[in-house]
Amino acid sequence: MSAGPTNGAVSTGAALRHVLGHLVTPLLMCIGMGLAYLGAFHSPQPHELRVAVVGSGPSAQVLAQTLHDKGDGALDVRTVADRSTAVHQLKDRDVYGVFVPNGTAPELVVASASSDTTATAVQKVFTQVAAQQGEPLKVTDVAPTASGDPTGQGIFFLLVALSIGSYASVAVIGGAGAVLPLRIRALLALGTSLVVSAIGAAFAGPVFHLVGHGLGGVWAMAWIYSAGVLFVGVGLHTFLKRWTTFGVMLLFVMLNFTSSGGIFRPELQPGFFGALHAFWNGAGFVEGVRSHVYFGGDGLGGNVLVLAFWLLAGAVVMGVAGLAEAGRRKSAKADRGADRGTGRVTAATGVPLAQTTDETAEVAAEEELEEAVGV
C-alpha cells in the first residue's frame, strides 16, 4: 500500500527533471538572442566610415581634416580631385558618401543600395556641414534600390526566410531521418536546399519584386547558402543531437543575421560583428546579392567564395559525421551480438537489453524532433 505514493513521487520528480533539462535550450536561446541582437543593433555608431570630399585646394583639405578631427574616429575622410572619380569610388564601395562643396548648392552623393542606414548616417553628417554654411544640401543617389525594396532591407529579410527554411529542415532531416543512411540524408538536404532557394527566388522576383534583374544569380546564391546551412546542420546533428537546434541558431541566426550587414553595415556596428562580416555566410549572401544586382558584379567573386567555403565546410562536416556513424554502427553491432549470445535482459522488464536500448533511442529521437520543431 505504501509503494504507490513512493512510486508516484519518484515518477513526478523524474518528469520534472526531464522538463527542466529541456528548458535549458530555450533559456540559452533567450540569452544568446539578447546578447547578439542587442549587442549588434542597440546603439549603431559610425566608426572609420569612409567618405570623400571633392576638391584639391586648401578649403577641401581643411574641411576634410576638420571632419576627421571632430568625428573622433567616426569618419575616415579623404579628398578626391573631381566628382566623377569620387562617384566611381562610391560605386566600388571604397567610400559611402561623396561631398561636393559649392558656395550656393553643396551636394552629397550616396549609393543607398549598398546600405540605406549607412547612407542616412552620412547624410546626417553632411546636412550639418551644409547648415553651417547656410545652404541646403542636395542629395543625389547614384545606386537606388529596386522599387519593391525602398528601404534596401528586403534582401536581409529574404536571408531570414532562407535561413529559417534551411535550419528548421535540419531538425526534420536529422531527427526524423536519423534512421536513414547519411547519404540519403545528404540527398534530402540537397533537395530541400533547391526547394528553399526556389521559394526565395519567387519572393525576390515575382512575389515582392525585391530585385529588378539578375534573378537567376540571386537564386544560385540562395541555393549555395541554403545547401551550406543544411549540410553543416545535418552533419552536426550526428554529434549534437537535441542540442542541434541551439547550435544551428547560434551559427545561422545569432551570429549570422547580426553580422550580415543587412540592417547596419560593419561601419555602424561593434568590431566583433564587423569582423564576422568578412567571412560569415549571411554576409556573403547579402553583399553578394547587392554586388550582383546593383553594382555590376563588383566584389561578387569574393562573396560567392565565402558561400562556397561554407558549402565545402558542410560537406566536410557530413564526411566526418559519416565516419563517426560508421564507427557507432560497428560498436552497436558488436554489443547486440554479445547481448544475444548471453541472453542479457533488463532487470525491470525482462526485455532483452538490445531491444530496450533501441526503444529508448527511438523515444529520445522523437522528443528531440518535437523540441527542435517547436522552437
Side-chain angles (χ1 to χ4, degrees), residues 35-185:
L35 290 174
Y37 272 71
L38 293 175
F41 298 145
H42 86 286
S43 180
Q45 298 291 336
H47 55 88
E48 299 297 325
L49 180 58
R50 300 187 301 274
V51 297
V53 174
V54 174
S56 55
S59 60
Q61 295 287 347
V62 169
L63 176 59
Q65 189 62 49
T66 301
L67 288 171
H68 182 83
D69 294 342
K70 289 178 65 176
D72 192 25
L75 300 178
D76 177 4
V77 190
R78 62 193 68 182
T79 57
V80 181
D82 57 80
R83 184 183 185 278
S84 61
T85 301
V87 170
H88 182 74
Q89 292 184 4
L90 182 65
K91 291 183 177 180
D92 287 345
R93 286 168 292 175
D94 294 328
V95 297
Y96 293 96
V98 173
F99 183 67
V100 185
N102 187 301
T104 58
E107 180 188 18
L108 175 66
V109 187
V110 296
S112 62
S114 65
S115 172
D116 184 71
T117 52
T118 299
T120 299
V122 172
Q123 185 175 342
K124 181 178 180 180
V125 170
F126 286 103
T127 296
Q128 295 174 353
V129 172
Q132 291 171 0
Q133 298 175 353
E135 299 293 341
L137 181 66
K138 175 187 176 183
V139 179
T140 303
D141 191 347
V142 295
T145 56
S147 59
D149 186 18
T151 66
Q153 295 178 5
I155 295 172
F156 170 74
F157 292 110
L158 176 62
L159 171 71
V160 172
L162 293 171
S163 301
I164 291 175
S166 301
Y167 77 70
S169 298
V170 166
V172 177
I173 297 173
V179 295
L180 296 172
L182 187 64
R183 65 180 181 277
I184 295 181
R185 277 175 278 156

